[in-house]
Amino acid sequence: MKIIVLIKQVPDTTNVSINPDTNTLMREGVESIINPFDMYAIEEALRLKERLNGEPETVVLSMGPPQVETALREALSMGIDKAVLLTDRKFAGSDTLATSYTLAAAIKKLDDYSLVLCGKQAIDGDTAQVGPGVATWLDLPIATYIRKIEEIDKEKILVERLMDMGYDRISLKLPALLTVVKELNEPRLPSLRGKLKAKKAEIINWGFEDLGIEEDMIGLDGSPTYVVKIFSPPPKQGGEKFHGNPEDSAKKIFEYLTSTKII
Amino acid sequence: MDYYLTEEEQMIKELAAQIADEKIVPVRAKFDESGEFPWDIIKVIADADLFRIFIPEEYEGMGDRAMSLALVTEELSRACAGVSVSYAASALGAIPIILYANDEQKKRFLPRIASGKSLAAFALTESNAGSDAGAIQTTAKLDGNEYVLNGTKQWITNGGEAEVYTVIAMTDKSRGARGVSAFIVEKGTPGFDFGKKEDKLGIRASTTRELIFNDCRIPKENLLKREGFGFIVAMKTFDKSRPGVAAQAVGIAEGAFREALKYSKEREQFGNLISSFQGIQFMLADMGTQIEAARALTYAAARMIDKGAKNYKKEAAMAKLFASDVAMKVTVDAVQILGGYGYMKEYPVEKMMRDAKITQIYEGTNQIQRLVIASELIRETVSKK
């Protein structure tokens, strides 16, 4: 039984700059961290392992350039058992479709997994597509925005899904994929023994040849997404505020709404 | 300044810094205000293995190194000296066991301290015996297979919170300082109680209490080394722990200095940042230089201990004396640079100033440090002749 956590290394800021020629992120000179939402997924994997008396093997999996090794070692220092890095020049330029296809192939190769955990989205791209994409390629049941894992046994898992109003309780058959939110837990800090162990640990490297995948479905060629423009939507304007006692304000709001023909 | 720390030392320092910034800074004012003991933070420090770094590997530690202890203490102190003293006092309580306990005693107590499951404490001071260790009134009398302890220890850091206490008690009054002995006493032993929790000027997150022994019977096996050896235990323990207090002082000073530097680059007066005024610049330059000198002395003393020097009494005392005086001066200056804001509790520097004062007092007042240094200097010249 394995619990696989998908992680992404992201720049440590939401103010990343974009290369205007290629419309991709410029990563140089920005410190890299594990995507914060993925930290909750790592922590939950460790807690599930403790809950299940240490039985499942925890694995972190990531795709990216060789420097992603730092992120994987950080996960190991927190207590994750094994780290796999998918790195190959052929993977460069992958969009969420190609990325989820490649990650799914690696998960298949890892085999014997019960649960795949991901953060709800990455703070750089914010697409929230890779988790659901992986579930689709692997034909796994999926639940997103998980804030609590109530029960887990060999066959199924009972979770709470955070909604705008309240939450859903969902039971899924295992293996399944979950994407998680920050309400789930508080990630632990690494331990000194964990850091020393992580420093020496072997990171498993898999490239194109190792995964048995179609070349035209990966990297830039396998990515139908074409980024036209990246921009932040303009922040909401303050709007009009009505001060004074409730009766007067209500009257003013009513007049405003009727005059603008909203009601 | 680059001290060419080893890779492992760098890791230890970064881990302690992460705990300081993420787990202590956000709550330090709350603990300073309430005086509540910060058990949650102690658990984080324990889970990070940082109680293991001053315990030998054969007792579930990660190496007994003064440099590692100094690095952790400094980083934690940068955030809160109340938290850091609770941590460092456990090391202080463990040092006599590491130095003088037999293998069986070490196996009984050190793994618990290494895991952080038990805190340790060291109890020498009494109402009439602080700097004068020979005036101890707590007694220990052998009765069959047990020692019977009577008396009261005062101002014991981690008192009531710790599980393992190294207690200095008089076994032969006629021999004065040569008649005291060191014992390990466990919390929960009948006849061992705690007095009131002290209300302190600074390091308020830490607990300071009396230990009260009333016909407290402990197994004979809890004696460290042999009767009459207690004074040497206490002195050697302080030699080894003083660089830790020095590191605490360096950390407090560094914390205050960073606040002052940051503020000076934000605060404008007369249309200019105050960091552009020479009056402020000279203060910042002196503060930075003094801190670096204190740090260099502290690390040098710690390195001496780790390299196996036989006698480091003078250097340990010098580090403690110099660094604690620097901490006091730097924190006062930091409050000055922040002006009215510095005097307010919304900013952390007034707390740092209150915290700094104790480093000039405990583990031997700075007057005692000067006596130690002078007697070592004079002894060295005599022995060279």
Side-chain angles (χ1 to χ4, degrees):
Chain A
M1 183 185 184
K2 285 193 189 84
I3 299 175
I4 300 171
V5 185
L6 304 184
I7 69 169
K8 184 180 187 185
Q9 191 177 48
V10 296
D12 186 11
T13 167
T14 42
N15 301 318
V16 287
S17 42
I18 309 291
N19 181 333
D21 299 330
T22 59
N23 274 333
T24 52
L25 299 168
M26 286 169 64
R27 292 171 186 279
E28 292 78 26
V30 185
E31 207 194 324
S32 294
I33 56 167
I34 296 177
N35 174 43
F37 294 112
D38 301 346
M39 292 294 278
Y40 306 111
I42 292 170
E43 176 63 31
E44 200 60 22
L46 296 170
R47 289 188 187 191
L48 285 172
K49 187 182 169 110
E50 285 158 12
R51 235 157 105 174
L52 298 166
N53 302 316
E55 201 242 316
E57 185 188 31
T58 54
V59 185
V60 276
L61 172 63
S62 190
M63 184 172 106
Q67 60 264 31
V68 172
E69 201 184 301
T70 338
L72 292 169
R73 287 200 192 280
E74 191 184 337
L76 291 174
S77 76
M78 290 169 73
I80 294 286
D81 301 313
K82 192 159 118 182
V84 180
L85 174 60
L86 309 182
T87 191
D88 198 309
R89 285 194 177 279
K90 291 191 167 134
F91 298 156
S94 293
D95 67 0
T96 55
L97 182 72
T99 301
S100 58
Y101 171 72
T102 313
L103 287 168
I107 293 170
K108 251 187 229 162
K109 188 177 160 84
L110 279 166
D111 201 24
D112 184 34
Y113 57 91
S114 303
L115 192 61
V116 181
L117 296 172
C118 321
K120 68 162 178 152
Q121 66 199 57
I123 58 162
D124 53 357
D126 280 324
T127 67
Q129 289 171 354
V130 170
V134 169
T136 308
W137 286 111
L138 295 171
D139 203 14
L140 293 179
I142 175 173
T144 50
Y145 305 109
I146 298 311
R147 67 163 200 184
K148 190 178 177 187
I149 295 180
E150 283 188 22
E151 288 167 26
I152 182 168
D153 59 35
K154 283 203 160 36
E155 270 81 48
K156 60 186 189 310
I157 187 165
L158 182 64
V159 295
E160 287 181 12
R161 175 183 200 223
L162 183 69
M163 304 298 287
D164 283 341
M165 312 273 277
Y167 63 92
D168 294 341
R169 273 175 98 208
I170 306 170
S171 180
L172 296 91
K173 263 195 194 151
L174 295 178
L177 186 144
L178 306 175
T179 77
V180 305
V181 293
K182 73 169 192 301
E183 287 78 6
L184 185 62
N185 56 45
E186 192 188 338
R188 70 195 62 192
L189 294 176
S191 69
L192 184 57
R193 284 188 296 190
K195 281 177 93 124
L196 289 167
K197 209 169 127 193
K199 196 185 78 177
K200 292 184 206 132
E202 190 210 351
I203 306 280
I204 300 162
N205 272 271
W206 286 343
F208 170 71
E209 301 292 336
D210 298 299
L211 294 179
I213 45 179
E214 307 286 332
E215 193 162 359
D216 58 359
M217 290 180 69
I218 60 163
L220 206 54
D221 291 345
S223 299
T225 311
Y226 178 65
V227 181
V228 181
K229 188 183 172 192
I230 296 181
F231 62 95
S232 302
K236 272 188 190 164
Q237 299 301 315
E240 201 168 336
K241 280 182 184 160
F242 298 93
H243 297 282
N245 70 53
E247 285 83 13
D248 291 349
S249 298
K251 216 174 269 175
K252 278 183 198 158
I253 291 171
F254 180 74
E255 279 163 18
Y256 173 80
L257 291 174
T258 47
S259 72
T260 51
K261 298 206 164 51
I262 292 173
I263 54 172
Chain B
M1 197 175 277
D2 194 335
Y3 293 95
Y4 297 96
L5 302 179
T6 66
E7 201 179 349
E8 188 173 334
E9 285 166 352
Q10 193 59 42
M11 244 181 225
I12 290 170
K13 185 180 156 76
E14 281 166 15
L15 194 50
Q18 196 182 356
I19 293 173
D21 295 330
E22 292 177 18
K23 305 287 179 185
I24 305 179
V25 167
V27 294
R28 62 183 169 195
K30 185 189 88 179
F31 283 108
D32 178 55
E33 180 77 27
S34 70
E36 184 196 340
F37 192 75
W39 274 116
D40 288 353
I41 301 173
I42 295 294
K43 189 173 179 307
V44 170
I45 298 170
D47 288 344
D49 295 326
L50 295 183
F51 283 99
R52 296 185 194 279
I53 56 105
F54 55 80
I55 305 281
E57 279 161 23
E58 44 291 33
Y59 305 101
E60 296 177 31
M62 297 181 75
D64 160 31
R65 280 189 282 275
M67 189 64 190
S68 307
L69 180 59
L71 291 169
V72 174
T73 307
E74 179 185 339
E75 289 302 324
L76 299 179
S77 304
R78 189 165 57 67
C80 175
V83 171
S84 74
V85 72
S86 310
Y87 166 79
S90 201
L92 174 67
I95 290 171
I97 302 174
I98 295 167
L99 288 177
Y100 295 111
N102 58 39
D103 187 53
E104 189 270 332
Q105 290 169 325
K106 285 181 183 176
K107 276 191 187 132
R108 265 172 72 201
F109 297 107
L110 292 182
R112 293 163 54 183
I113 300 170
S115 69
K117 287 198 180 84
S118 296
L119 287 179
F122 183 74
L124 169 69
T125 304
E126 298 180 0
S127 55
N128 294 314
S131 299
D132 178 8
I136 283 169
Q137 288 172 328
T138 297
T139 58
K141 280 202 179 78
L142 188 62
D143 179 25
N145 285 326
E146 293 171 323
Y147 278 99
V148 185
L149 270 64
N150 278 291
T152 301
K153 292 289 171 184
Q154 187 169 254
W155 301 330
I156 305 308
T157 306
N158 284 352
E161 315 291 350
E163 302 282 331
V164 180
Y165 297 79
T166 304
V167 177
I168 307 294
M170 188 65 77
T171 42
D172 184 355
K173 204 170 169 57
S174 66
R175 300 190 63 211
R178 302 287 159 198
V180 298
S181 306
F183 301 91
I184 306 168
V185 186
E186 288 185 78
K187 183 179 172 178
T189 309
F192 176 21
D193 289 306
F194 304 101
K196 72 169 176 6
K197 198 169 157 172
E198 303 292 345
D199 191 10
K200 305 187 292 290
L201 172 72
I203 54 166
R204 291 175 54 81
S206 71
T207 300
T208 310
R209 282 174 85 169
E210 284 178 338
L211 313 186
I212 302 164
F213 300 100
N214 196 353
D215 285 333
C216 172
R217 304 182 81 90
I218 58 168
K220 197 173 67 175
E221 293 74 37
N222 285 18
L223 171 70
L224 276 183
K225 202 91 175 168
R226 58 175 185 272
E227 276 192 29
F229 206 71
F231 188 69
I232 294 171
V233 170
M235 292 307 109
K236 292 285 181 189
T237 295
F238 283 146
D239 287 348
K240 203 173 165 188
S241 70
R242 275 172 187 151
V245 181
Q248 188 190 29
V250 171
I252 296 170
E254 176 70 33
F257 177 63
R258 287 190 196 178
E259 293 293 333
L261 192 59
K262 189 175 91 186
Y263 181 84
S264 74
K265 294 191 296 183
E266 291 165 358
R267 172 74 167 175
E268 278 187 31
Q269 289 288 277
F270 311 106
N272 288 300
L273 290 173
I274 63 167
S275 62
S276 68
F277 304 145
Q278 272 196 341
I280 299 292
Q281 288 179 354
F282 286 0
M283 284 173 85
L284 290 171
D286 283 346
M287 291 158 86
T289 307
Q290 287 158 358
I291 292 169
E292 210 56 72
R295 184 179 286 123
L297 191 51
T298 303
Y299 289 1
R303 286 268 188 245
M304 265 182 90
I305 297 174
D306 291 343
K307 294 287 175 190
K310 276 220 171 81
N311 185 4
Y312 42 81
K313 191 181 275 298
K314 181 187 71 184
E315 291 78 8
M318 284 175 162
K320 192 271 186 189
L321 167 69
F322 187 76
S324 59
D325 283 352
V326 164
M328 198 66 245
K329 183 168 187 316
V330 166
T331 53
V332 169
D333 286 348
V335 172
Q336 192 66 29
I337 288 175
L338 269 77
Y341 291 107
Y343 200 72
M344 301 298 154
K345 293 212 173 191
E346 284 104 285
Y347 285 79
V349 289
E350 60 81 30
K351 170 189 183 293
M352 291 162 172
M353 187 179 96
R354 286 184 283 114
D355 288 348
K357 185 64 206 171
I358 192 62
T359 62
Q360 293 179 307
I361 298 170
Y362 62 17
E363 292 199 42
T365 62
N366 281 7
Q367 287 66 36
I368 288 289
Q369 306 304 320
R370 288 180 172 92
L371 287 181
V372 169
I373 295 163
S375 79
E376 286 295 300
L377 288 170
I378 293 161
R379 198 180 54 80
E380 281 169 13
T381 56
V382 170
S383 61
K384 270 178 198 151
K385 271 182 190 169

